[in-house]
Amino acid sequence: KGVNLGGVKKKKKQKKPEGSAPAAPTDVHGDEVFNPADFEEEQAPKRQEVEDTRTPAERRYEETLKEREAKRLATVGELSHREKIQNFNQYLDKLSEHHDIPRVGPG
């Protein structure tokens, strides 16, 4: 019982003082009153000028990735499954018999 095995100790959460946060205005029933100014401040993205530390090669790479993704997404929705299968079968019909699977075994 008195031996310390040196296990992982859990950090205790620090309690915040109750009086530190300003109380939201309430109506007669105790519900919070909606303040549109507060809502706009919360929803508006806080823009900060972030310095772009990427190299020119990294920027070009990400641009080409975006372009490829856009092309892929544009072509994905064009053909239905049935049309893709028909096109693939037509492609296989055009191939010479050299590409056929050889028959193995008796029969």
Side-chain angles (χ1 to χ4, degrees):
K1 288 186 178 183
V3 179
N4 184 4
L5 298 178
V8 179
K9 293 183 180 180
K10 185 176 179 182
K11 293 183 179 180
K12 294 184 179 181
K13 294 182 182 178
Q14 297 207 357
K15 296 182 181 179
K16 297 179 183 176
E18 292 182 24
S20 65
T26 58
D27 63 1
V28 179
H29 302 291
D31 297 330
E32 289 187 12
V33 176
F34 176 72
N35 187 354
D38 292 340
F39 182 73
E40 290 173 4
E41 290 175 5
E42 292 174 3
Q43 295 298 324
K46 296 177 183 176
R47 292 191 171 221
Q48 297 176 353
E49 292 298 323
V50 178
E51 186 177 331
D52 191 7
T53 58
R54 299 178 296 172
T55 63
E58 289 174 329
R59 288 189 202 109
R60 283 194 311 267
Y61 174 72
E62 290 183 7
E63 287 175 14
T64 55
L65 278 182
K66 289 178 184 177
E67 290 173 5
R68 288 179 189 163
E69 184 70 13
K71 279 185 181 178
R72 187 185 67 80
L73 291 176
T75 58
V76 164
E78 289 180 0
L79 297 177
S80 68
H81 178 71
R82 176 174 285 191
E83 292 169 340
K84 289 179 187 177
I85 297 298
Q86 287 175 348
N87 290 343
F88 183 66
N89 285 336
Q90 288 174 359
Y91 167 75
L92 290 178
D93 288 340
K94 291 178 186 175
L95 292 177
S96 66
E97 303 229 354
H98 172 75
H99 294 286
D100 281 349
I101 299 172
R103 197 169 208 184
V104 178

